[in-house]
């Protein structure tokens, strides 16, 4: 039996980058995954490509994590189609960098509402379903920017710092319910997160598959063990 046979996951922001690589890894291991993002064409393409590759299955549902009702819909789709929910990956996120004196309200709002409020909406929607299965796992994709500030990171640092605190509180709230909560904190990953997109020259950076691997490896931990915070960084970044 494949490693994730019988497991159902919802992954937010899974049409590219870390979210997509995680969805691919779970489907490759026989899991059933609901992929999502704000763009219907990308969602449909991703679900189709993953199901084609198999042996697990993927379906798609458009979800902007800033919208609480749609987050509830996303979890309901997983339960209706696949019979339950075991894993939520709160991955959807973005970074818009500007100094505080140059940051407008809209740029602040989109980061806080996506990177932080979105995790609240999706987790609230998923928890009853995870409990109905007797437990599960919530992965919150944080960042090393959640504990290392940099100029221009005022909103991104705030969102990921907040997410780290939120993850720890969630972990304490949920562990006796059988739900494990882990905050995964990557350094630089070569994805479309950066405006110029992935750069083949940046071969020192982490790849999305490395972050997916952290999660699939954690899922193999025994029930008694809860790695609640994992930092992962490039082993050989350019020397400063
Ligand atoms: N790349 C890095 O160096 C790095 C480092 C540390 C942490 N992270 C974190 O890793 C996560 C994934 O980033 P990535 O590097 O894989 O970036 P990416 O390639 O840009 O992927 C981001 C995904 O999130 C989706 N998304 C953005 N806003 C959304 C919203 N409001 N609702 C739903 N989906 C939304 C995007 O799709 P649409 O735009 O089509 O909605 C896309 O599928 C983020 O939380 C990021 O902060 C990244």
């Amino acid at each position: 039996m494949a490693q994730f046979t019988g497991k159902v996951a919802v992954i937010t922001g899974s049409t590219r980058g870390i979210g997509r690589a995680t969805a691919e890894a779970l489907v490759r291991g026989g899991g059933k995954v609901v992929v999502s993002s704000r763009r219907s064409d990308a969602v449909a393409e991703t679900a189709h490509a993953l199901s084609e590759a198999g042996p697990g299955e993927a379906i798609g549902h458009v979800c902007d994590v800033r919208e609480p009702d749609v987050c509830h819909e996303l979890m309901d789709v997983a339960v209706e189609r696949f019979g339950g929910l075991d894993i939520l990956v709160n991955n959807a996120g973005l970074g818009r960098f500007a100094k505080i004196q140059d940051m407008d309200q809209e740029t602040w709002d989109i980061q806080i509402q996506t990177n932080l409020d979105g995790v609240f909406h999706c987790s609230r929607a998923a928890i009853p379903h995870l409990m109905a299965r007797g437990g599960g796992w919530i992965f919150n994709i944080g960042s090393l920017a959640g504990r290392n500030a940099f100029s221009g990171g005022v909103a991104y640092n705030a969102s990921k710092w907040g997410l780290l605190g939120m993850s720890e509180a969630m972990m304490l709230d949920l562990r006796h319910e059988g739900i494990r909560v882990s905050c995964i904190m990557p350094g630089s990953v070569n994805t479309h997160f950066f405006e110029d997109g992935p750069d083949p020259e940046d071969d020192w950076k982490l790849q999305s598959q490395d972050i997916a691997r952290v999660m699939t490896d954690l899922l193999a931990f025994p029930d008694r063990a809860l790695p609640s915070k994992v930092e992962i960084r490039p082993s050989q970044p350019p020397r400063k």
Side-chain angles (χ1 to χ4, degrees), residues 13-18 37-39 63-66 91-94 114 141-143 156 160 186-189 191-194:
S14 39
T15 52
R16 53 178 196 255
I18 294 168
S37 86
R38 294 168 296 179
R39 281 187 38 211
C63 174
D64 184 329
V65 298
R66 293 173 293 173
N91 168 75
L94 42 78
T114 306
I141 307 302
S143 171
Y156 191 67
K160 294 297 185 181
S188 295
V189 189
T191 69
H192 284 91
F193 179 84
F194 301 97

PDB file of all heavy atoms in Angstrom, residues 13-18 37-39 63-66 91-94 114 141-143 156 160 186-189 191-194, ligand 1:
ATOM      1  N   GLY A  13      -3.299  27.397  -1.978  1.00  0.00           N
ATOM      2  CA  GLY A  13      -2.231  27.939  -2.825  1.00  0.00           C
ATOM      3  C   GLY A  13      -1.375  26.839  -3.423  1.00  0.00           C
ATOM      4  O   GLY A  13      -0.146  26.897  -3.362  1.00  0.00           O
ATOM      5  N   SER A  14      -2.041  25.846  -4.056  1.00  0.00           N
ATOM      6  CA  SER A  14      -1.281  24.661  -4.495  1.00  0.00           C
ATOM      7  C   SER A  14      -1.179  24.537  -6.004  1.00  0.00           C
ATOM      8  O   SER A  14      -0.995  23.444  -6.528  1.00  0.00           O
ATOM      9  CB  SER A  14      -1.887  23.394  -3.884  1.00  0.00           C
ATOM     10  OG  SER A  14      -3.283  23.450  -3.866  1.00  0.00           O
ATOM     11  N   THR A  15      -1.272  25.652  -6.730  1.00  0.00           N
ATOM     12  CA  THR A  15      -1.140  25.590  -8.183  1.00  0.00           C
ATOM     13  C   THR A  15       0.304  25.743  -8.652  1.00  0.00           C
ATOM     14  O   THR A  15       0.604  25.547  -9.825  1.00  0.00           O
ATOM     15  CB  THR A  15      -1.988  26.690  -8.843  1.00  0.00           C
ATOM     16  OG1 THR A  15      -1.658  27.946  -8.232  1.00  0.00           O
ATOM     17  CG2 THR A  15      -3.466  26.412  -8.661  1.00  0.00           C
ATOM     18  N   ARG A  16       1.188  26.116  -7.756  1.00  0.00           N
ATOM     19  CA  ARG A  16       2.609  26.215  -8.110  1.00  0.00           C
ATOM     20  C   ARG A  16       3.424  26.179  -6.818  1.00  0.00           C
ATOM     21  O   ARG A  16       2.860  26.131  -5.717  1.00  0.00           O
ATOM     22  CB  ARG A  16       2.906  27.487  -8.913  1.00  0.00           C
ATOM     23  CG  ARG A  16       2.429  28.757  -8.256  1.00  0.00           C
ATOM     24  CD  ARG A  16       2.802  29.993  -9.079  1.00  0.00           C
ATOM     25  NE  ARG A  16       2.665  31.165  -8.245  1.00  0.00           N
ATOM     26  CZ  ARG A  16       1.672  32.045  -8.324  1.00  0.00           C
ATOM     27  NH1 ARG A  16       0.734  31.884  -9.225  1.00  0.00           N
ATOM     28  NH2 ARG A  16       1.619  33.080  -7.506  1.00  0.00           N
ATOM     29  N   GLY A  17       4.753  26.185  -6.990  1.00  0.00           N
ATOM     30  CA  GLY A  17       5.651  26.306  -5.841  1.00  0.00           C
ATOM     31  C   GLY A  17       5.487  25.199  -4.805  1.00  0.00           C
ATOM     32  O   GLY A  17       5.236  24.034  -5.134  1.00  0.00           O
ATOM     33  N   ILE A  18       5.637  25.596  -3.549  1.00  0.00           N
ATOM     34  CA  ILE A  18       5.656  24.646  -2.428  1.00  0.00           C
ATOM     35  C   ILE A  18       4.343  23.868  -2.318  1.00  0.00           C
ATOM     36  O   ILE A  18       4.342  22.654  -2.088  1.00  0.00           O
ATOM     37  CB  ILE A  18       5.927  25.423  -1.115  1.00  0.00           C
ATOM     38  CG1 ILE A  18       7.337  26.029  -1.141  1.00  0.00           C
ATOM     39  CG2 ILE A  18       5.735  24.527   0.099  1.00  0.00           C
ATOM     40  CD1 ILE A  18       7.615  27.055  -0.030  1.00  0.00           C
ATOM     41  N   SER A  37      -6.427  27.622  -5.464  1.00  0.00           N
ATOM     42  CA  SER A  37      -5.800  28.944  -5.482  1.00  0.00           C
ATOM     43  C   SER A  37      -6.890  29.895  -5.953  1.00  0.00           C
ATOM     44  O   SER A  37      -8.062  29.493  -6.067  1.00  0.00           O
ATOM     45  CB  SER A  37      -4.568  29.001  -6.395  1.00  0.00           C
ATOM     46  OG  SER A  37      -4.933  29.291  -7.734  1.00  0.00           O
ATOM     47  N   ARG A  38      -6.526  31.129  -6.288  1.00  0.00           N
ATOM     48  CA  ARG A  38      -7.558  32.085  -6.708  1.00  0.00           C
ATOM     49  C   ARG A  38      -7.909  31.943  -8.177  1.00  0.00           C
ATOM     50  O   ARG A  38      -8.874  32.519  -8.628  1.00  0.00           O
ATOM     51  CB  ARG A  38      -7.056  33.526  -6.445  1.00  0.00           C
ATOM     52  CG  ARG A  38      -6.882  33.856  -4.984  1.00  0.00           C
ATOM     53  CD  ARG A  38      -6.133  35.158  -4.798  1.00  0.00           C
ATOM     54  NE  ARG A  38      -4.772  35.073  -5.315  1.00  0.00           N
ATOM     55  CZ  ARG A  38      -3.896  36.063  -5.296  1.00  0.00           C
ATOM     56  NH1 ARG A  38      -4.236  37.226  -4.796  1.00  0.00           N
ATOM     57  NH2 ARG A  38      -2.681  35.892  -5.778  1.00  0.00           N
ATOM     58  N   ARG A  39      -7.079  31.208  -8.970  1.00  0.00           N
ATOM     59  CA  ARG A  39      -7.259  31.199 -10.437  1.00  0.00           C
ATOM     60  C   ARG A  39      -7.810  29.865 -10.922  1.00  0.00           C
ATOM     61  O   ARG A  39      -7.152  28.826 -10.792  1.00  0.00           O
ATOM     62  CB  ARG A  39      -5.908  31.465 -11.105  1.00  0.00           C
ATOM     63  CG  ARG A  39      -5.537  32.949 -11.092  1.00  0.00           C
ATOM     64  CD  ARG A  39      -4.288  33.187 -11.910  1.00  0.00           C
ATOM     65  NE  ARG A  39      -4.239  32.356 -13.104  1.00  0.00           N
ATOM     66  CZ  ARG A  39      -3.111  31.906 -13.651  1.00  0.00           C
ATOM     67  NH1 ARG A  39      -1.946  32.192 -13.106  1.00  0.00           N
ATOM     68  NH2 ARG A  39      -3.144  31.175 -14.748  1.00  0.00           N
ATOM     69  N   CYS A  63     -10.283  28.868  -4.342  1.00  0.00           N
ATOM     70  CA  CYS A  63     -10.462  29.433  -3.004  1.00  0.00           C
ATOM     71  C   CYS A  63      -9.473  30.555  -2.763  1.00  0.00           C
ATOM     72  O   CYS A  63      -8.262  30.338  -2.794  1.00  0.00           O
ATOM     73  CB  CYS A  63     -10.280  28.343  -1.942  1.00  0.00           C
ATOM     74  SG  CYS A  63     -10.314  28.991  -0.254  1.00  0.00           S
ATOM     75  N   ASP A  64     -10.009  31.742  -2.521  1.00  0.00           N
ATOM     76  CA  ASP A  64      -9.203  32.847  -2.013  1.00  0.00           C
ATOM     77  C   ASP A  64      -9.300  32.756  -0.493  1.00  0.00           C
ATOM     78  O   ASP A  64     -10.396  32.916   0.068  1.00  0.00           O
ATOM     79  CB  ASP A  64      -9.776  34.173  -2.531  1.00  0.00           C
ATOM     80  CG  ASP A  64      -8.915  35.366  -2.127  1.00  0.00           C
ATOM     81  OD1 ASP A  64      -8.277  35.309  -1.051  1.00  0.00           O
ATOM     82  OD2 ASP A  64      -8.894  36.354  -2.882  1.00  0.00           O
ATOM     83  N   VAL A  65      -8.179  32.498   0.155  1.00  0.00           N
ATOM     84  CA  VAL A  65      -8.221  32.226   1.603  1.00  0.00           C
ATOM     85  C   VAL A  65      -8.636  33.445   2.423  1.00  0.00           C
ATOM     86  O   VAL A  65      -8.861  33.332   3.625  1.00  0.00           O
ATOM     87  CB  VAL A  65      -6.874  31.665   2.131  1.00  0.00           C
ATOM     88  CG1 VAL A  65      -6.550  30.333   1.478  1.00  0.00           C
ATOM     89  CG2 VAL A  65      -5.737  32.674   1.939  1.00  0.00           C
ATOM     90  N   ARG A  66      -8.774  34.601   1.761  1.00  0.00           N
ATOM     91  CA  ARG A  66      -9.245  35.786   2.489  1.00  0.00           C
ATOM     92  C   ARG A  66     -10.758  35.751   2.707  1.00  0.00           C
ATOM     93  O   ARG A  66     -11.293  36.573   3.424  1.00  0.00           O
ATOM     94  CB  ARG A  66      -8.855  37.057   1.713  1.00  0.00           C
ATOM     95  CG  ARG A  66      -7.355  37.280   1.673  1.00  0.00           C
ATOM     96  CD  ARG A  66      -6.982  38.422   0.766  1.00  0.00           C
ATOM     97  NE  ARG A  66      -7.277  38.106  -0.627  1.00  0.00           N
ATOM     98  CZ  ARG A  66      -7.175  38.969  -1.637  1.00  0.00           C
ATOM     99  NH1 ARG A  66      -6.799  40.199  -1.396  1.00  0.00           N
ATOM    100  NH2 ARG A  66      -7.448  38.598  -2.880  1.00  0.00           N
ATOM    101  N   ASN A  91      -0.798  26.930   3.098  1.00  0.00           N
ATOM    102  CA  ASN A  91       0.394  27.316   2.339  1.00  0.00           C
ATOM    103  C   ASN A  91       0.226  28.643   1.607  1.00  0.00           C
ATOM    104  O   ASN A  91       1.215  29.357   1.398  1.00  0.00           O
ATOM    105  CB  ASN A  91       0.707  26.202   1.331  1.00  0.00           C
ATOM    106  CG  ASN A  91       1.734  26.619   0.312  1.00  0.00           C
ATOM    107  OD1 ASN A  91       2.925  26.692   0.607  1.00  0.00           O
ATOM    108  ND2 ASN A  91       1.283  26.928  -0.905  1.00  0.00           N
ATOM    109  N   ALA A  92      -1.004  28.993   1.201  1.00  0.00           N
ATOM    110  CA  ALA A  92      -1.216  30.210   0.392  1.00  0.00           C
ATOM    111  C   ALA A  92      -0.551  31.401   1.072  1.00  0.00           C
ATOM    112  O   ALA A  92      -0.741  31.632   2.269  1.00  0.00           O
ATOM    113  CB  ALA A  92      -2.708  30.475   0.222  1.00  0.00           C
ATOM    114  N   GLY A  93       0.228  32.119   0.307  1.00  0.00           N
ATOM    115  CA  GLY A  93       0.908  33.263   0.906  1.00  0.00           C
ATOM    116  C   GLY A  93       1.629  34.071  -0.141  1.00  0.00           C
ATOM    117  O   GLY A  93       1.893  33.599  -1.249  1.00  0.00           O
ATOM    118  N   LEU A  94       1.922  35.315   0.203  1.00  0.00           N
ATOM    119  CA  LEU A  94       2.677  36.181  -0.701  1.00  0.00           C
ATOM    120  C   LEU A  94       3.461  37.206   0.090  1.00  0.00           C
ATOM    121  O   LEU A  94       3.187  37.474   1.263  1.00  0.00           O
ATOM    122  CB  LEU A  94       1.741  36.856  -1.715  1.00  0.00           C
ATOM    123  CG  LEU A  94       0.393  37.391  -1.221  1.00  0.00           C
ATOM    124  CD1 LEU A  94       0.583  38.697  -0.501  1.00  0.00           C
ATOM    125  CD2 LEU A  94      -0.562  37.574  -2.395  1.00  0.00           C
ATOM    126  N   THR A 114      -3.985  37.387   3.753  1.00  0.00           N
ATOM    127  CA  THR A 114      -3.674  36.103   3.118  1.00  0.00           C
ATOM    128  C   THR A 114      -2.845  35.234   4.068  1.00  0.00           C
ATOM    129  O   THR A 114      -3.200  34.079   4.351  1.00  0.00           O
ATOM    130  CB  THR A 114      -2.880  36.317   1.801  1.00  0.00           C
ATOM    131  OG1 THR A 114      -3.600  37.213   0.967  1.00  0.00           O
ATOM    132  CG2 THR A 114      -2.654  34.999   1.079  1.00  0.00           C
ATOM    133  N   ILE A 141       2.636  27.000   6.715  1.00  0.00           N
ATOM    134  CA  ILE A 141       3.891  27.356   6.064  1.00  0.00           C
ATOM    135  C   ILE A 141       4.281  28.768   6.499  1.00  0.00           C
ATOM    136  O   ILE A 141       3.749  29.767   6.003  1.00  0.00           O
ATOM    137  CB  ILE A 141       3.804  27.245   4.521  1.00  0.00           C
ATOM    138  CG1 ILE A 141       3.286  25.857   4.117  1.00  0.00           C
ATOM    139  CG2 ILE A 141       5.190  27.516   3.914  1.00  0.00           C
ATOM    140  CD1 ILE A 141       4.117  24.672   4.608  1.00  0.00           C
ATOM    141  N   GLY A 142       5.169  28.807   7.469  1.00  0.00           N
ATOM    142  CA  GLY A 142       5.716  30.063   7.958  1.00  0.00           C
ATOM    143  C   GLY A 142       6.927  30.445   7.131  1.00  0.00           C
ATOM    144  O   GLY A 142       6.967  30.221   5.910  1.00  0.00           O
ATOM    145  N   SER A 143       7.923  30.984   7.785  1.00  0.00           N
ATOM    146  CA  SER A 143       9.127  31.425   7.075  1.00  0.00           C
ATOM    147  C   SER A 143      10.205  31.756   8.102  1.00  0.00           C
ATOM    148  O   SER A 143       9.886  32.102   9.253  1.00  0.00           O
ATOM    149  CB  SER A 143       8.791  32.683   6.267  1.00  0.00           C
ATOM    150  OG  SER A 143       9.971  33.257   5.728  1.00  0.00           O
ATOM    151  N   TYR A 156       5.381  41.495   5.701  1.00  0.00           N
ATOM    152  CA  TYR A 156       5.671  40.059   5.594  1.00  0.00           C
ATOM    153  C   TYR A 156       6.199  39.520   6.928  1.00  0.00           C
ATOM    154  O   TYR A 156       5.747  38.480   7.407  1.00  0.00           O
ATOM    155  CB  TYR A 156       6.681  39.821   4.463  1.00  0.00           C
ATOM    156  CG  TYR A 156       6.826  38.350   4.108  1.00  0.00           C
ATOM    157  CD1 TYR A 156       5.772  37.660   3.521  1.00  0.00           C
ATOM    158  CD2 TYR A 156       8.007  37.657   4.363  1.00  0.00           C
ATOM    159  CE1 TYR A 156       5.895  36.309   3.206  1.00  0.00           C
ATOM    160  CE2 TYR A 156       8.131  36.308   4.043  1.00  0.00           C
ATOM    161  CZ  TYR A 156       7.074  35.639   3.467  1.00  0.00           C
ATOM    162  OH  TYR A 156       7.193  34.304   3.159  1.00  0.00           O
ATOM    163  N   LYS A 160       4.332  36.591   9.178  1.00  0.00           N
ATOM    164  CA  LYS A 160       4.949  35.292   9.468  1.00  0.00           C
ATOM    165  C   LYS A 160       5.329  35.174  10.941  1.00  0.00           C
ATOM    166  O   LYS A 160       5.341  34.088  11.492  1.00  0.00           O
ATOM    167  CB  LYS A 160       6.159  35.070   8.545  1.00  0.00           C
ATOM    168  CG  LYS A 160       5.786  34.935   7.065  1.00  0.00           C
ATOM    169  CD  LYS A 160       4.901  33.717   6.785  1.00  0.00           C
ATOM    170  CE  LYS A 160       4.641  33.526   5.299  1.00  0.00           C
ATOM    171  NZ  LYS A 160       3.779  32.368   5.001  1.00  0.00           N
ATOM    172  N   PRO A 186      10.654  27.817   6.030  1.00  0.00           N
ATOM    173  CA  PRO A 186      11.735  27.758   5.044  1.00  0.00           C
ATOM    174  C   PRO A 186      12.495  29.079   4.936  1.00  0.00           C
ATOM    175  O   PRO A 186      11.952  30.157   5.186  1.00  0.00           O
ATOM    176  CB  PRO A 186      11.015  27.484   3.718  1.00  0.00           C
ATOM    177  CG  PRO A 186       9.575  27.221   4.051  1.00  0.00           C
ATOM    178  CD  PRO A 186       9.331  27.880   5.376  1.00  0.00           C
ATOM    179  N   GLY A 187      13.755  28.963   4.504  1.00  0.00           N
ATOM    180  CA  GLY A 187      14.500  30.115   3.992  1.00  0.00           C
ATOM    181  C   GLY A 187      14.152  30.246   2.514  1.00  0.00           C
ATOM    182  O   GLY A 187      13.046  29.894   2.099  1.00  0.00           O
ATOM    183  N   SER A 188      15.086  30.730   1.705  1.00  0.00           N
ATOM    184  CA  SER A 188      14.772  31.019   0.291  1.00  0.00           C
ATOM    185  C   SER A 188      14.493  29.755  -0.517  1.00  0.00           C
ATOM    186  O   SER A 188      15.327  28.854  -0.576  1.00  0.00           O
ATOM    187  CB  SER A 188      15.949  31.751  -0.355  1.00  0.00           C
ATOM    188  OG  SER A 188      16.101  32.998   0.254  1.00  0.00           O
ATOM    189  N   VAL A 189      13.323  29.736  -1.138  1.00  0.00           N
ATOM    190  CA  VAL A 189      12.924  28.624  -2.006  1.00  0.00           C
ATOM    191  C   VAL A 189      12.734  29.197  -3.407  1.00  0.00           C
ATOM    192  O   VAL A 189      12.133  30.270  -3.567  1.00  0.00           O
ATOM    193  CB  VAL A 189      11.598  27.991  -1.522  1.00  0.00           C
ATOM    194  CG1 VAL A 189      11.320  26.702  -2.288  1.00  0.00           C
ATOM    195  CG2 VAL A 189      11.617  27.731  -0.012  1.00  0.00           C
ATOM    196  N   THR A 191      10.919  29.795  -6.203  1.00  0.00           N
ATOM    197  CA  THR A 191       9.534  29.693  -6.696  1.00  0.00           C
ATOM    198  C   THR A 191       9.094  31.021  -7.314  1.00  0.00           C
ATOM    199  O   THR A 191       9.861  31.980  -7.363  1.00  0.00           O
ATOM    200  CB  THR A 191       8.555  29.402  -5.530  1.00  0.00           C
ATOM    201  OG1 THR A 191       8.484  30.569  -4.701  1.00  0.00           O
ATOM    202  CG2 THR A 191       8.983  28.211  -4.705  1.00  0.00           C
ATOM    203  N   HIS A 192       7.819  31.072  -7.688  1.00  0.00           N
ATOM    204  CA  HIS A 192       7.231  32.312  -8.217  1.00  0.00           C
ATOM    205  C   HIS A 192       6.935  33.329  -7.126  1.00  0.00           C
ATOM    206  O   HIS A 192       6.376  34.389  -7.401  1.00  0.00           O
ATOM    207  CB  HIS A 192       5.939  32.009  -8.982  1.00  0.00           C
ATOM    208  CG  HIS A 192       6.190  31.432 -10.334  1.00  0.00           C
ATOM    209  ND1 HIS A 192       6.269  30.079 -10.553  1.00  0.00           N
ATOM    210  CD2 HIS A 192       6.410  32.039 -11.534  1.00  0.00           C
ATOM    211  CE1 HIS A 192       6.519  29.867 -11.831  1.00  0.00           C
ATOM    212  NE2 HIS A 192       6.618  31.025 -12.447  1.00  0.00           N
ATOM    213  N   PHE A 193       7.274  32.990  -5.889  1.00  0.00           N
ATOM    214  CA  PHE A 193       7.112  33.941  -4.785  1.00  0.00           C
ATOM    215  C   PHE A 193       7.846  35.242  -5.106  1.00  0.00           C
ATOM    216  O   PHE A 193       7.387  36.329  -4.755  1.00  0.00           O
ATOM    217  CB  PHE A 193       7.680  33.295  -3.520  1.00  0.00           C
ATOM    218  CG  PHE A 193       7.615  34.149  -2.294  1.00  0.00           C
ATOM    219  CD1 PHE A 193       6.464  34.195  -1.527  1.00  0.00           C
ATOM    220  CD2 PHE A 193       8.711  34.906  -1.899  1.00  0.00           C
ATOM    221  CE1 PHE A 193       6.404  34.981  -0.392  1.00  0.00           C
ATOM    222  CE2 PHE A 193       8.655  35.695  -0.765  1.00  0.00           C
ATOM    223  CZ  PHE A 193       7.500  35.738   0.000  1.00  0.00           C
ATOM    224  N   PHE A 194       8.973  35.101  -5.768  1.00  0.00           N
ATOM    225  CA  PHE A 194       9.768  36.284  -6.114  1.00  0.00           C
ATOM    226  C   PHE A 194       9.284  36.833  -7.448  1.00  0.00           C
ATOM    227  O   PHE A 194       8.935  36.059  -8.343  1.00  0.00           O
ATOM    228  CB  PHE A 194      11.257  35.920  -6.159  1.00  0.00           C
ATOM    229  CG  PHE A 194      11.739  35.373  -4.835  1.00  0.00           C
ATOM    230  CD1 PHE A 194      11.826  34.012  -4.623  1.00  0.00           C
ATOM    231  CD2 PHE A 194      12.032  36.235  -3.787  1.00  0.00           C
ATOM    232  CE1 PHE A 194      12.231  33.505  -3.392  1.00  0.00           C
ATOM    233  CE2 PHE A 194      12.435  35.732  -2.554  1.00  0.00           C
ATOM    234  CZ  PHE A 194      12.537  34.369  -2.353  1.00  0.00           C
TER     235      PHE A 194
HETATM  236  N1  LIG B   1       9.675  31.045  -1.796  1.00  0.00           N
HETATM  237  C1  LIG B   1      10.258  31.315  -0.657  1.00  0.00           C
HETATM  238  O1  LIG B   1      11.446  31.685  -0.586  1.00  0.00           O
HETATM  239  C2  LIG B   1       9.505  31.127   0.644  1.00  0.00           C
HETATM  240  C3  LIG B   1      10.244  31.126   1.831  1.00  0.00           C
HETATM  241  C4  LIG B   1       9.596  30.965   3.043  1.00  0.00           C
HETATM  242  C5  LIG B   1       8.230  30.800   3.056  1.00  0.00           C
HETATM  243  N2  LIG B   1       7.518  30.814   1.901  1.00  0.00           N
HETATM  244  C6  LIG B   1       6.057  30.654   1.992  1.00  0.00           C
HETATM  245  O2  LIG B   1       5.672  29.525   1.247  1.00  0.00           O
HETATM  246  C7  LIG B   1       4.310  29.667   0.838  1.00  0.00           C
HETATM  247  C8  LIG B   1       4.193  29.308  -0.629  1.00  0.00           C
HETATM  248  O3  LIG B   1       4.982  30.215  -1.386  1.00  0.00           O
HETATM  249  P1  LIG B   1       5.715  29.816  -2.743  1.00  0.00           P
HETATM  250  O4  LIG B   1       7.136  30.205  -2.566  1.00  0.00           O
HETATM  251  O5  LIG B   1       5.374  28.438  -3.156  1.00  0.00           O
HETATM  252  O6  LIG B   1       5.055  30.921  -3.714  1.00  0.00           O
HETATM  253  P2  LIG B   1       4.298  30.844  -5.118  1.00  0.00           P
HETATM  254  O7  LIG B   1       5.019  29.988  -6.080  1.00  0.00           O
HETATM  255  O8  LIG B   1       4.039  32.276  -5.465  1.00  0.00           O
HETATM  256  O9  LIG B   1       2.905  30.130  -4.752  1.00  0.00           O
HETATM  257  C9  LIG B   1       1.935  30.766  -3.969  1.00  0.00           C
HETATM  258  C10 LIG B   1       0.600  30.070  -4.129  1.00  0.00           C
HETATM  259  O10 LIG B   1      -0.366  30.739  -3.281  1.00  0.00           O
HETATM  260  C11 LIG B   1      -1.498  31.119  -4.078  1.00  0.00           C
HETATM  261  N3  LIG B   1      -2.137  32.282  -3.470  1.00  0.00           N
HETATM  262  C12 LIG B   1      -1.654  33.546  -3.316  1.00  0.00           C
HETATM  263  N4  LIG B   1      -2.562  34.317  -2.695  1.00  0.00           N
HETATM  264  C13 LIG B   1      -3.638  33.514  -2.438  1.00  0.00           C
HETATM  265  C14 LIG B   1      -4.895  33.718  -1.813  1.00  0.00           C
HETATM  266  N5  LIG B   1      -5.261  34.922  -1.311  1.00  0.00           N
HETATM  267  N6  LIG B   1      -5.734  32.688  -1.695  1.00  0.00           N
HETATM  268  C15 LIG B   1      -5.393  31.474  -2.188  1.00  0.00           C
HETATM  269  N7  LIG B   1      -4.238  31.211  -2.808  1.00  0.00           N
HETATM  270  C16 LIG B   1      -3.375  32.227  -2.925  1.00  0.00           C
HETATM  271  C17 LIG B   1      -0.942  31.318  -5.483  1.00  0.00           C
HETATM  272  O11 LIG B   1      -1.935  31.182  -6.498  1.00  0.00           O
HETATM  273  P3  LIG B   1      -2.803  32.436  -7.059  1.00  0.00           P
HETATM  274  O12 LIG B   1      -1.912  33.642  -7.073  1.00  0.00           O
HETATM  275  O13 LIG B   1      -3.227  31.980  -8.407  1.00  0.00           O
HETATM  276  O14 LIG B   1      -3.960  32.556  -6.101  1.00  0.00           O
HETATM  277  C18 LIG B   1       0.044  30.134  -5.548  1.00  0.00           C
HETATM  278  O15 LIG B   1      -0.631  28.943  -5.849  1.00  0.00           O
HETATM  279  C19 LIG B   1       3.910  31.097   1.192  1.00  0.00           C
HETATM  280  O16 LIG B   1       3.163  31.101   2.389  1.00  0.00           O
HETATM  281  C20 LIG B   1       5.246  31.797   1.402  1.00  0.00           C
HETATM  282  O17 LIG B   1       5.135  32.891   2.288  1.00  0.00           O
HETATM  283  C21 LIG B   1       8.128  30.970   0.687  1.00  0.00           C
END
